[in-house]
Amino acid sequence: MDKKTQTEIEAAAFRRLVSHFQEHTDVQNIDLMVLAGFCRNCLAKWYTAAAIEQGIEMDYEQAREVIYGMPYKDWKSKYQTEATAETQAAYDRKQQSTNLP
């Protein structure tokens, strides 16, 4: 496979991932962090870094709007729920296990 085709396939897969996250607003970022070790905000940070590497001015909030499909504050007020004690504990355990030296 040539590099151009590979990039097009990767871009299509990325767009599908973003669309999937936008469609599944019931899945909370903390759940993603516990299960996968990354969330929508991580993806936005990676998007921002990739844009900057390409010489494109972009800030984190602009990238979050791309990933969330709306301004983050709107998504948060519409879809974000309070984490359960169990989910928070699982997140804390995950953070401790990945932050060890």
Side-chain angles (χ1 to χ4, degrees), residues 14-15 17-23 40-41 43-48 51 56-72 75:
F14 171 79
R15 287 189 297 273
L17 175 64
V18 169
S19 175
H20 186 80
F21 279 152
Q22 290 174 359
E23 291 167 14
R40 293 170 182 90
N41 291 325
L43 200 53
K45 289 174 185 175
W46 301 337
Y47 191 91
T48 303
I56 297 168
E57 277 191 42
M58 177 169 291
D59 66 29
Y60 179 51
E61 290 306 315
Q62 291 171 311
R64 288 211 297 191
E65 191 164 339
V66 170
I67 302 303
Y68 284 90
M70 65 184 70
Y72 175 67
W75 189 93

Side-chain angles (χ1 to χ4, degrees), residues 26 34 42-43 51-52 79 88 95:
D26 57 316
V34 169
C42 298
L43 200 53
I52 291 168
Y79 304 113
Q88 186 64 53
Q95 289 299 100

Side-chain angles (χ1 to χ4, degrees), residues 33-34 37 87-101:
M33 289 297 294
V34 169
T87 302
Q88 186 64 53
Y91 174 78
D92 293 342
R93 284 191 304 276
K94 177 90 170 190
Q95 289 299 100
Q96 289 174 348
S97 69
T98 57
N99 290 336
L100 294 175

